[in-house]
Amino acid sequence: MLLNMLKGKIHRATITEAKLDYVGSITIDTELLEKAGILEYEKVQIVDVNNGSRFETYTIAGERGSGMICLNGAAAREVQVGDKIIIMAYASMTPEEVKDNPPKVLFVDDDNKILRITRYEKHGLLTEDMINE
């Protein structure tokens, strides 16, 4: 049996741009993608903390170190520049794989610079140790 489990999350990132005239996607600073374990072109779920919108799109790698979080295409209508969002990626895993693969959670500041990286433990509690990857 495969379970659809959270594998990576960028928590409370700030929308830096919204471009209606582009194919639907989300452009994310490459460093943020890598540190959260999210791949380019991977499907992600977006939750806008400010307005409650929830939708799915795919990722595009943006300029490394830029802090870019840009919603593109129709998804740009769901957000405003400055909104806080949560970006989540999921993976299909066996129950055995779930035990060995807790999700990475990337916390960022208002400029989308990395504050810390943690992993979930049992019952949704965060570990105290940072991941240095």
Side-chain angles (χ1 to χ4, degrees):
M1 171 174 48
L2 291 177
L3 306 170
N4 195 28
M5 302 296 294
L6 181 67
K7 75 164 194 145
K9 175 172 144 177
I10 303 173
H11 192 70
R12 296 184 63 88
T14 304
I15 297 291
T16 59
E17 299 177 58
K19 296 182 179 178
L20 289 171
D21 60 345
Y22 194 80
V23 176
S25 59
I26 184 169
T27 305
I28 302 173
D29 177 324
T30 297
E31 181 179 13
L32 299 178
L33 285 175
E34 290 172 355
K35 295 292 184 178
I38 300 172
L39 302 174
E40 185 170 28
Y41 308 117
E42 186 169 358
K43 181 171 93 172
V44 291
Q45 185 174 58
I46 310 294
V47 177
D48 188 311
V49 175
N50 295 83
N51 67 25
S53 292
R54 192 176 196 106
F55 52 93
E56 293 179 342
T57 190
Y58 66 94
T59 63
I60 295 176
E63 181 182 345
R64 180 179 297 280
S66 66
M68 174 184 273
I69 303 285
C70 178
L71 262 297
N72 304 305
R77 294 187 187 281
E78 299 293 324
V79 299
Q80 299 286 325
V81 171
D83 281 2
K84 295 289 187 181
I85 62 170
I86 299 170
I87 304 162
M88 298 168 286
Y90 298 86
S92 295
M93 298 181 211
T94 65
E96 293 76 28
E97 290 172 320
V98 169
K99 294 175 190 171
D100 295 326
N101 293 288
K104 288 183 180 179
V105 182
L106 183 65
F107 292 87
V108 296
D109 66 14
D110 290 340
D111 296 318
N112 296 326
K113 301 300 179 198
I114 299 169
L115 293 172
R116 69 184 195 278
I117 306 167
T118 62
R119 290 198 183 265
Y120 275 108
E121 288 187 332
K122 292 180 182 180
H123 311 295
L125 300 175
L126 291 172
T127 63
E128 293 299 320
D129 297 326
M130 291 182 59
I131 303 167
N132 294 313
E133 295 179 1

